[in-house]
Amino acid sequence: MSVLVNKDSKIIVQGFTGSEGTFHAGQMIDYGTNVVGGVTPGKGGQEHLGKPVFNTVQEAVEKAGADTTIIFVPPAFAADAIMEAADAGIKVIITITEGIPVADMIKAFNYIKGKDCRLIGPNCPGVITPGEAKVGIMPGFVFKAGEVGIVSKSGTLTYEAADQVVRQGLGITTAIGIGGDPIIGTTTKEAVELLMNDDATKCIVMIGEIGGNLEADAARWVKETGNKKPVVGFIAGETAPKGRTMGHAGAIVGGADDTAEAKKAIMKECGIHVVDSPAEIGKKVAEVLS
Amino acid sequence: MNLHEYQGKEILASHGVRIQRGIVANTASEAVAAAKDLTAETGTGWHVIKAQVHAGGRGKGGGVKLAKNLQEVEEIAGQIIGMNLVTPQTSAEGKLVRKVLVAEDVYYPGDSETSEFYMSVLLNRGTGKNMIMYSTEGGMEIEVVAEKTPHLIFTEEIDPSVGLQGFQARRIAFNLGLSGTAFKEMVKFVSALYTAYVKSDSSLFEINPVLKTSDDKILAVDAKVTIDDNALFRHKDIEEMRDVTEENPIEVEAKAVGLNYVDLDGNVGCMVNGAGLAMATMDLIKQAGGEPANFLDVGGTADAKRVEEAFRIILKDENVKAILINIFGGIVRCDRVAQGVVDAYKNMGDAINVPIIVRLQGTNAEVAKELIDNSGLAVHSAVMFQEAADKVKEVLA
């Protein structure tokens, strides 16, 4: 079992023929991901990387049965691409694009609310179910199949965590990069909930960072629902100064509640196994699973 | 991107928000001329001289003063321009003031008492909607109000599909205890303020105080405006307002070469790919007994040129005693980064005079380690994250 994406997902790439889209779609196909085509307005009817190109997402849904999309569209047009996917009935919308204006995301986020779809990202590395589907920009070889679910706001820190888990002789069910923007489609709590309900996942790694209160919300939910599975947590940015954006647009300490210390304290209270050192994520997972 | 008060007010006024009017001046004599012009335009007798720096709490540091005649305008402007203004939001050295805003006096006596309110517009990250946060307690720090009298802070959330509605603006005006002319003025003020926020793609408006004058006008006495950096591509006019003299010079330089760098006070520099891993690396430096000197995300293409640029930026900080390079190679191949480090080292000659610890993990990590180890350079290499931390501890000892 796994969540969000698997070998049967019918995946399209929005921004298919651009340089980013081309490179990563190629990597995804090489990994064995079921890419059924891509969308680039105006290039419909062509073939790219051996897959059909469509003018609209709707056409990709009708002709290729697409149910999942990965978006590499440039920031100025990405919110539009998200709304187009939702309108066409795509169920899982994974948005890699970094740098989308907040005002655009407010529109897209509220537009898709009532629709039967889930947005992952933006500004995220994507989602991977090892051995089945890589719908993202992560290095596939780091992720081996196994029993640990990962939820993270960060790209390379997800790879780091996965690598540490694999070195302990364990593996990953699904790793979900939820993204580092102020507005993201799937919260930490929602991603943790997906993994909590996945039978194959025995332990969850939750990686957060300064800013906002997504990790605290997730921790409280874990406690309220009876700590059904062990959760290992890490929060990056203990040394980040207040009021400065640390790379990710959402990674900024605003008040007393969204510092690394405050988040870790709440997580500990809620029974999360918090590690202070990012080098000890894998070790802690092995410990709680033994 | 942060703006000066006078720039923020310009944006507000262009969308019909009533502001305390003012003219910016770079010297004491310009301030006098500005004061004369302002009196001609507004009829104001007294003038408020306000330091223009990107920091709050300017009044506390002596950066906002009242001048009751032109001689005082000249004296006060002369004092403030060129001073290092220390406020609760600046470093201990303060910020050099390069210009002042000569503003009209809006606290003149009249038929009713003046009152001050607080108002901000910002994103509610929890709901993905903008909200207006406001309080009857204007003129004080909102953090203090939140702590002491949280029931005096109100919020109004805006549905993005329809925008701010009339009933919402009226609710704000009622909650602020207004009636009559002042009530109507506040409704107009709130609507115009929200329009300005949306049209300028701002990520924060903080108007503190919003003033009700003695003749029942509502106006913005101060304006803290932050623009969403991701939206600047569609606001060239606003982008031109950027004042790089207010920013850290090393950060400005890093930005120019496309590096995401934040200057910090510590002694161990770092160069990392990815923002999350960069923050985690900073934390690890601290746990190893050092203090991070910077945040630096080199991004997805860490080739020799970029590594060299990153080295140059980090070494501009004289407090740096060691540099930790932490790359998790995915799409980026570690051996290419390693080659970048070796090349940069050779190109820069003696410029690199602090120990370097390189931790490369992921694609081709072992080849990369060999490359570094065989280069003959004084570089410590590591593969595991913990190993890197131990090496930091070693070189600092």
Side-chain angles (χ1 to χ4, degrees):
Chain A
M1 278 274 288
S2 56
V3 300
L4 294 168
V5 297
N6 59 38
K7 60 184 189 328
D8 300 320
S9 300
K10 289 184 172 167
I11 297 149
I12 52 163
V13 180
Q14 282 172 267
F16 192 33
T17 57
S19 62
E20 290 279 302
T22 300
F23 178 76
H24 290 292
Q27 298 273 317
M28 284 163 54
I29 293 167
D30 289 349
Y31 188 82
T33 308
N34 185 26
V35 175
V36 298
V39 175
T40 299
K43 294 195 175 170
Q46 298 180 12
E47 200 172 89
H48 185 61
L49 306 176
K51 310 282 176 189
V53 182
F54 302 101
N55 276 325
T56 65
V57 178
Q58 192 181 349
E59 200 185 341
V61 170
E62 284 162 5
K63 295 187 179 156
D67 56 19
T68 302
T69 182
I70 179 165
I71 296 176
F72 290 103
V73 171
F77 313 104
D80 179 70
I82 293 170
M83 291 188 275
E84 182 184 355
D87 177 72
I90 295 282
K91 298 286 176 271
V92 179
I93 304 168
I94 297 168
T95 307
I96 307 299
T97 310
E98 177 174 6
I100 304 176
V102 174
D104 296 9
M105 271 316 296
I106 291 177
K107 275 187 209 147
F109 181 79
N110 286 284
Y111 176 84
I112 66 170
K113 245 183 198 167
K115 301 203 162 42
D116 179 25
C117 65
R118 174 173 290 289
L119 171 66
I120 305 282
N123 190 10
C124 80
V127 180
I128 184 169
T129 296
E132 297 197 28
K134 168 174 121 81
V135 193
I137 59 173
M138 63 288 279
F141 72 91
V142 174
F143 298 79
K144 303 276 185 292
E147 58 281 77
V148 181
I150 300 180
V151 175
S152 169
K153 276 183 179 171
S154 147
T156 41
L157 198 48
T158 308
Y159 318 159
E160 175 70 45
D163 182 61
Q164 288 182 26
V165 167
V166 169
R167 276 170 200 275
Q168 294 291 332
L170 301 163
I172 315 297
T173 46
T174 301
I176 311 168
I178 60 169
D181 268 4
I183 298 183
I184 49 177
T186 296
T187 62
T188 311
K189 181 233 145 193
E190 288 166 337
V192 167
E193 187 174 356
L194 288 172
L195 292 165
M196 220 34 119
N197 294 331
D198 172 46
D199 290 342
T201 302
K202 303 296 176 213
C203 170
I204 299 166
V205 175
M206 179 174 121
I207 298 170
E209 58 196 29
I210 52 166
N213 40 25
L214 295 186
E215 296 86 356
D217 290 347
R220 290 193 190 98
W221 179 86
V222 168
K223 189 181 178 190
E224 276 161 24
T225 51
N227 295 72
K228 283 186 289 187
K229 291 174 187 174
V231 179
V232 172
F234 172 72
I235 301 290
E238 193 184 85
T239 48
K242 191 180 175 209
R244 297 299 309 268
T245 305
M246 307 303 277
H248 289 152
I252 176 167
V253 172
D257 304 334
D258 59 358
T259 63
E261 286 78 7
K263 291 188 185 200
K264 284 197 265 191
I266 292 171
M267 283 158 63
K268 280 179 192 160
E269 273 167 37
C270 294
I272 310 270
H273 304 273
V274 177
V275 291
D276 286 316
S277 163
E280 289 182 353
I281 298 168
K283 231 196 270 176
K284 186 55 107 180
V285 169
E287 193 186 304
V288 301
L289 277 178
S290 65
Chain B
M1 182 179 85
N2 291 325
L3 296 181
H4 284 297
E5 173 195 355
Y6 77 93
Q7 296 168 323
K9 281 177 165 174
E10 252 173 55
I11 292 176
L12 260 53
S14 72
H15 294 283
V17 181
R18 192 192 291 273
I19 55 165
Q20 172 203 38
R21 290 165 293 182
I23 298 171
V24 87
N26 298 297
T27 62
S29 55
E30 273 182 38
V32 173
K36 285 180 187 160
D37 288 349
L38 200 62
T39 301
E41 187 190 326
T42 68
T44 188
W46 295 350
H47 296 87
V48 188
I49 314 298
K50 306 167 100 175
Q52 298 297 290
V53 290
H54 290 183
R58 291 169 297 165
K60 286 189 186 123
V64 179
K65 283 186 174 155
L66 181 68
K68 295 187 176 172
N69 54 51
L70 289 178
Q71 194 190 335
E72 285 186 12
V73 168
E74 188 168 14
E75 276 170 25
I76 293 169
Q79 285 162 16
I80 294 180
I81 295 171
M83 82 185 280
N84 274 315
L85 183 59
V86 181
T87 87
Q89 292 183 17
T90 66
S91 64
E93 303 97 68
K95 284 197 117 170
L96 177 64
V97 182
R98 292 184 169 83
K99 49 186 127 202
V100 292
L101 181 64
V102 180
E104 64 178 322
D105 169 31
V106 283
Y107 291 82
Y108 46 83
D111 292 340
S112 66
E113 290 288 308
T114 59
S115 38
E116 293 184 324
F117 311 113
Y118 170 91
M119 194 170 289
S120 58
V121 190
L122 70 164
L123 171 72
N124 179 348
R125 289 173 65 160
T127 60
K129 291 175 183 170
N130 289 323
M131 62 180 178
I132 297 175
M133 190 187 283
Y134 61 102
S135 173
T136 48
E137 307 303 286
M140 358 187 340
E141 277 176 63
I142 196 68
E143 287 82 5
V144 177
V145 181
E147 200 179 307
K148 292 191 177 147
T149 50
H151 61 285
L152 296 177
I153 298 179
F154 306 88
T155 56
E156 191 70 44
E157 201 165 270
I158 292 112
D159 181 336
S161 57
V162 294
L164 180 76
Q165 296 300 296
F167 76 90
Q168 296 183 293
R170 291 196 297 276
R171 179 154 56 201
I172 291 171
F174 279 127
N175 280 340
L176 291 174
L178 297 170
S179 59
T181 308
F183 173 88
K184 284 183 200 152
E185 283 275 323
M186 181 58 86
V187 170
K188 268 201 286 186
F189 181 89
V190 172
S191 306
L193 190 70
Y194 189 69
T195 304
Y197 180 85
V198 172
K199 295 278 186 204
S200 60
D201 262 311
S202 287
S203 55
L204 175 70
F205 269 10
E206 190 174 37
I207 316 297
N208 191 18
V210 174
L211 179 73
K212 185 199 82 68
T213 61
S214 61
D215 52 356
D216 288 341
K217 290 193 185 93
I218 303 292
L219 53 84
V221 178
D222 194 5
K224 178 175 191 229
V225 170
T226 307
I227 309 290
D228 177 8
D229 286 315
N230 290 342
L232 279 173
F233 69 88
R234 55 191 179 205
H235 298 281
K236 296 291 172 217
D237 52 332
I238 298 178
E239 197 171 15
E240 278 170 17
M241 292 181 175
R242 180 181 290 275
D243 182 354
V244 292
T245 62
E246 287 293 319
E247 296 172 24
N248 177 299
I250 309 179
E251 291 177 13
V252 173
E253 206 172 311
K255 194 178 151 73
V257 294
L259 292 170
N260 200 334
Y261 173 94
V262 177
D263 198 31
L264 301 170
D265 294 333
N267 54 1
V268 180
C270 56
M271 188 190 306
V272 190
N273 66 331
L277 191 61
M279 279 187 271
T281 304
M282 285 160 47
D283 297 347
L284 202 72
I285 288 170
K286 171 136 187 163
Q287 286 163 17
E291 286 287 341
N294 64 276
F295 166 95
L296 174 58
D297 177 5
V298 286
T301 51
D303 55 11
K305 186 162 173 283
R306 252 176 118 66
V307 171
E308 192 175 325
E309 272 162 352
F311 266 129
R312 289 193 195 281
I313 296 285
I314 293 172
L315 288 168
K316 284 190 189 285
D317 181 346
E318 287 170 4
N319 299 326
V320 169
K321 298 284 175 284
I323 297 175
L324 170 58
I325 302 178
N326 186 15
I327 304 288
F328 199 106
I331 308 306
V332 188
R333 278 168 41 196
C334 289
D335 53 329
R336 286 179 64 177
V337 179
Q339 192 60 52
V341 173
V342 172
D343 291 350
Y345 218 112
K346 285 181 178 157
N347 287 341
M348 295 180 69
D350 297 335
I352 302 177
N353 49 12
V354 296
I356 312 277
I357 301 127
V358 183
R359 183 265 178 157
L360 297 161
Q361 176 61 278
T363 315
N364 292 359
E366 296 299 330
V367 185
K369 186 172 189 309
E370 249 169 63
L371 222 156
I372 299 265
D373 289 345
N374 297 336
S375 67
L377 301 176
V379 174
H380 308 257
S381 67
V383 173
M384 302 306 292
F385 209 172
Q386 187 56 48
E387 242 181 292
D390 296 341
K391 294 249 158 87
V392 169
K393 206 177 276 180
E394 245 173 69
V395 303
L396 287 179

